[in-house]
Amino acid sequence: MGSAWWSGVTDLAQRYGPWAVIAGGSEGVGAAFAHQLADAGINLLLIARNAATLAGVSAEITAAHTVHVRTAVIDLAADDMADKVAASTSDIDVGLLVYNAGAASGPQLVIDQSPDEIMRLIRLNTIGQTLLARHFGQSMAAQGRGGIILLGSMGANAGCMQLAVYSAVKAYTLTFAEGLWAELHPLGIDVAALMIGRTRTPALERSEYGQDSGIPAAEPDDIARFALANLGAGPVLVPPELEAAFLALRAMPRRQAVETMTRALAPQTRR
């Protein structure tokens, strides 16, 4: 892919380089961001738990581009996560954070979920992104430039049966990004919650247990391209094909929104 797709900022590397950190960069949307940022000449630190998939993405990128690629095997839900990420980036200038972690583990009633599973979702989607946004936001503010992308979800618009914890933590992502934008945008930093719907990723495959719900899915490359081309238009980025649904759900009475969300996702949440 060439650089002609970039139309929002004349020089992506100048605005958001020289390094980008992608938390959850081993597959799916995170890997798509990695390839597109490397295409723009930005060096990468990819973070994930799975060393093998991280190594695979790193090898693909270094084979196709001249950028530097580092990997860090870190559990983003661990108590010492922020310290480990800070240590891994202490000698590089990070101009972009993409927080791509936090996919649902699968449809399940709250009363049937284990406490560990619930707390992992909460840590990934609230604590992890907050601490990393704080850490990298400090250095970006000192330089007067940078960008932060937090991966949100259309599920943030209403609670949903069998996805109650997931929709709740994604609502945090949306509101946190809005507040963070209000704080950092005046300092020259672009912040956005990227509100995506069903996307064709390995995480989706795992959450649906290999079943095809029949609901159309977006492609990770398209999602990443849209986000990078529109990052300056934050604090909330909604792909055009989802905008009408996003606005409708936000305007509905809450019970109607919950019932609509639960009904719409029934094919996806049905095991």
Side-chain angles (χ1 to χ4, degrees), residues 14 33 42 54 59 92-93 104 107 110 130 133 170 173 177 207 219 233 238 245 257-258 261:
Q14 182 178 357
F33 271 114
I42 297 178
L54 273 178
I92 58 177
D93 178 6
V110 172
T130 303
K170 287 304 184 183
T173 296
S207 70
E219 297 298 330
V238 183
V258 172
M261 183 72 76

Side-chain angles (χ1 to χ4, degrees), residues 70-256:
R70 294 183 180 181
T71 60
V73 180
I74 298 174
D75 183 353
L76 293 165
D79 291 339
D80 61 351
M81 173 276 301
D83 291 336
K84 287 185 175 180
V85 173
S88 298
T89 57
S90 61
D91 62 335
I92 58 177
D93 178 6
V94 176
L96 180 67
L97 168 66
V98 178
Y99 195 89
N100 178 59
S105 55
Q108 198 171 21
L109 299 176
V110 172
I111 58 175
D112 293 333
Q113 287 181 285
S114 71
D116 286 346
E117 183 179 14
I118 289 172
M119 290 308 301
R120 179 169 185 81
L121 268 176
I122 293 172
R123 290 190 185 102
L124 277 174
N125 288 278
T126 60
I127 297 172
Q129 66 184 3
T130 303
L131 293 181
L132 292 193
R134 173 191 176 273
H135 175 72
F136 292 112
Q138 288 177 331
S139 58
M140 292 176 192
Q143 296 189 53
R145 66 174 184 86
I148 297 174
I149 299 173
L150 305 177
L151 199 74
S153 168
M154 287 289 287
N157 288 302
C160 180
M161 182 179 181
Q162 297 202 86
L163 291 173
V165 177
Y166 177 76
S167 57
V169 294
K170 287 304 184 183
Y172 176 89
T173 296
L174 173 61
T175 305
F176 176 61
E178 290 175 336
L180 193 65
W181 177 89
E183 295 177 355
L184 298 183
H185 186 69
L187 304 179
I189 303 164
D190 296 324
V191 179
L194 175 59
M195 310 303 289
I196 67 172
R198 190 169 183 271
T199 306
R200 199 180 313 279
T201 65
L204 177 71
E205 176 75 12
R206 291 190 293 269
S207 70
E208 293 189 352
Y209 305 96
Q211 301 177 34
D212 184 357
S213 68
I215 301 174
E219 297 298 330
D221 284 341
D222 295 336
I223 293 295
R225 188 177 301 109
F226 167 78
L228 291 175
N230 293 279
L231 178 51
V236 180
L237 301 180
V238 183
E241 64 273 16
L242 299 177
E243 188 171 359
F246 178 84
L247 294 174
L249 284 164
R250 302 292 284 179
M252 286 179 188
R254 298 317 303 161
R255 177 178 290 189
Q256 181 184 0

Side-chain angles (χ1 to χ4, degrees), residues 1-48:
M1 179 195 305
S3 59
W5 63 272
W6 175 251
S7 59
V9 175
T10 56
D11 190 342
L12 185 60
Q14 182 178 357
R15 177 69 178 156
Y16 302 117
W19 284 83
V21 170
I22 304 178
S26 63
E27 63 181 28
V29 176
F33 271 114
H35 282 281
Q36 293 181 26
L37 290 169
D39 188 47
I42 297 178
N43 303 309
L44 302 169
L45 171 67
L46 308 178
I47 301 171

